[in-house]
Amino acid sequence: MTPGIQMHTDSDTVAVLSPRAEQLRLLVDLVEAMTRDIPSLAHALQLIARRLAGACGLRAITVFTLDPDDGSLRVAETLGPAAADDLKVAGRVFRVAAGAPGVRVADRTALRLRMGGQTHGVAVLTGEELDNLLPDVAAGVALQLAATLQVLAAERDRQYVTHATDTIKKMYEEGAGARSIEAAGRVLARITNEAFRTDRAAMHLIGPDGRISCVTGINLPPATEAALTRALEGRLAADSPVWRTVHELGAPLLLDDTSAAATRPGGLVETLGLRSIVVLPLMSASGPVGMVLCGDTTGPRHWTGRDRTLAQQMALEGALVVDGARLRQAEQLHVAELTRQAYHDALTGLANRTHLLERAEQEVAAATAAGERLALLLIDLDGFKRVNDTVGHHAGDALLQAVGRRLQRAVRGHDVVARLGGDEFAVLLTRDPDEEQAGAIAQRLHERLCAPYTVEGSRVDIGASVGITMFPAQAAGMAALMRTADAAMYQAKRTGGGVAAAQGLSRGSGESPDRP
């Protein structure tokens, strides 16, 4: 047996044949293997070694596949000790006609693996007696290896189509649930990472000012995630050579080796420690909104033509996912704005009457169940009509806005401040206030509202009348709360302003003991 090749046989006994018969038998073995078994390069090389080791002194075989995209040769399978310059020897077959015999270089013979008018690769055989290799046998070996490569390539094509279809389907299914561009970006980053089976992935979004507004990693350690945020948020996206390239191309970027490319110091590539990357632009109808990046940390990686095709397809389909999320986000913002308008006063931004009544009904039900109290304060401004008549309605609007701000700052965060209309306001005190607390808050509101205002450069002075009522002491429901608080407020107004409490409560300043 020739050193360097370990032969595996189907039985313990191998019939002794002449060198010529061994070679001819090889063709039979290869045909039988192709028809009986799933094509395997490793099996085919074992069969070749078994028959040619003795007949031709074969000690090594290297099979290269031909990349259909760039014409490069890459090792597909080896048996025995391959020589360092086998690739150089393999390349010599392209210097002769496609149908020419194998190219001989010293102790090696390079065979073009061609079938159906297409070259699929090159086989380099190494042995001391390769002159003994019969031309017909060499042609048969080349044909069978080409057929094996063709079958394997067809299987890879089938797997690619299945993988690409499943990836795009998953992208759409999960992207349909994204309610914001940020959520869509996370979905695309995770699926891209899965599709290319890379080690790490991240995405970032770009704000209208061209700065990075959001950075998110996929399955990253918290420390790495924090490092990304510190390094990139607020930075100009255009400072990144990777971003500039993707932006200019408007298409994916695949780099086999990032060490040979320009990247941003402290950027995604450096922070994630990536040696090879796939970058997809996040596009919308209005233009690029960010990018998705994934890659390997272990070393360079050759991205195939299939990888590039998949990346292009994902970028195109991903744009639809991003746009769908953008429309859903806009719709949510629109609904939220309509809801805000329906429940808030347009001038002051405070809750309106509708919001107050609905919230009060909820608080009354909760207080009833918990045995707690509520307080309602109704407020009417004194002297507001004079401001409108003397200074103008524009000044009056500015004054109402200032009143709203003072009211909002004077109460607790869980209380509700509302503008009922005109110069009337209300405050609903929640979380079990007692009569003393309600009276103290009402006094504080009155004092703040009566402090001078500066409106359009001029001092404006107004007063306020505040009526207080308590649930359940003075009212059993919201309608009764409004009536009793309104009565107390008008009682305060009739006596010159101040604070008036419904019957049974301590009196505030300016309140008469008489009830209407």
Side-chain angles (χ1 to χ4, degrees), residues 132-486:
N132 296 334
L133 182 60
L134 300 174
D136 288 347
V137 172
V141 166
L143 182 62
Q144 291 300 325
L145 289 177
T148 301
L149 290 178
Q150 187 179 57
V151 171
L152 295 176
E155 175 59 19
R156 286 194 298 271
D157 286 341
R158 186 195 66 79
Q159 292 177 358
Y160 164 76
V161 170
T162 300
H163 178 61
T165 302
D166 291 345
T167 295
I168 299 303
K169 179 182 177 183
K170 186 175 184 180
M171 181 187 297
Y172 274 123
E173 289 177 347
E174 298 192 17
R179 301 297 172 186
S180 67
I181 293 178
E182 181 179 347
R186 287 196 297 269
V187 168
L188 293 179
R190 178 169 49 77
I191 292 178
T192 302
N193 194 43
E194 295 172 359
F196 292 99
R197 300 178 177 89
T198 47
D199 298 331
R200 292 182 171 181
M203 73 92 185
H204 69 54
L205 300 180
I206 310 301
D209 60 355
R211 296 185 179 274
I212 297 173
S213 59
C214 167
V215 187
T216 302
I218 306 300
N219 300 324
L220 297 180
T224 306
E225 186 91 31
L228 280 179
T229 300
R230 288 194 305 269
L232 293 178
E233 281 196 1
R235 297 281 301 276
L236 285 170
D239 288 345
S240 166
V242 171
W243 165 254
R244 288 200 303 270
T245 301
V246 172
H247 190 191
E248 291 168 3
L249 290 174
L253 172 68
L254 289 82
L255 294 178
D256 293 358
D257 188 354
T258 59
S259 65
T263 58
R264 181 208 297 258
L268 285 175
V269 175
E270 182 177 294
T271 304
L272 297 180
L274 302 179
R275 289 292 309 279
S276 59
I277 56 173
V278 175
V279 188
L280 271 61
L282 291 178
M283 304 295 293
S284 76
S286 58
V289 296
M291 72 177 184
V292 163
L293 179 146
C294 67
D296 290 334
T297 60
T298 52
R301 172 173 170 178
H302 172 65
W303 300 110
T304 67
R306 293 187 181 89
D307 292 329
R308 297 177 188 279
T309 300
L310 178 58
Q312 291 169 356
Q313 188 175 8
M314 292 182 69
L316 291 173
E317 305 297 343
L320 299 179
V321 172
V322 170
D323 258 341
R326 182 178 60 83
L327 292 174
R328 286 188 289 273
Q329 183 175 1
E331 181 181 8
Q332 285 181 318
L333 293 174
H334 180 62
V335 171
E337 177 59 20
L338 291 178
T339 302
R340 191 195 68 78
Q341 292 176 7
Y343 286 94
H344 289 80
D345 175 58
L347 178 63
T348 63
L350 299 176
N352 59 15
R353 180 183 292 270
T354 300
H355 189 182
L356 175 69
L357 294 177
E358 290 190 8
R359 175 70 181 276
E361 291 288 354
Q362 297 170 2
E363 294 293 343
V364 165
T368 301
E372 295 180 347
R373 294 161 294 193
L374 299 170
L376 179 65
L377 283 57
L378 289 187
I379 304 164
D380 187 78
L381 302 181
D382 299 329
F384 177 74
K385 184 176 184 301
R386 183 182 70 253
V387 175
N388 266 346
D389 292 343
T390 59
V391 186
H393 289 282
H394 180 70
D397 288 347
L399 178 59
L400 290 174
Q401 291 171 338
V403 167
R405 290 192 293 270
R406 290 188 183 185
L407 288 173
Q408 195 72 64
R409 289 195 294 263
V411 300
R412 302 162 299 180
H414 51 77
D415 297 327
V416 182
V417 180
R419 181 190 178 205
L420 303 182
D423 59 349
E424 293 187 0
F425 296 83
V427 177
L428 179 66
L429 304 180
T430 63
R431 298 191 183 177
D432 202 26
D434 58 25
E435 298 173 5
E436 183 177 352
Q437 288 174 318
I441 292 174
Q443 290 286 358
R444 183 167 71 246
L445 290 177
H446 181 264
E447 292 171 3
R448 295 192 180 184
L449 292 179
C450 291
Y453 298 82
T454 299
V455 178
E456 296 185 345
S458 301
R459 170 171 170 158
V460 174
D461 293 289
I462 58 171
S465 299
V466 184
I468 311 170
T469 190
M470 296 292 297
F471 171 86
Q474 279 77 47
M478 184 57 197
L481 274 171
M482 292 291 289
R483 286 196 305 272
T484 54
D486 189 63

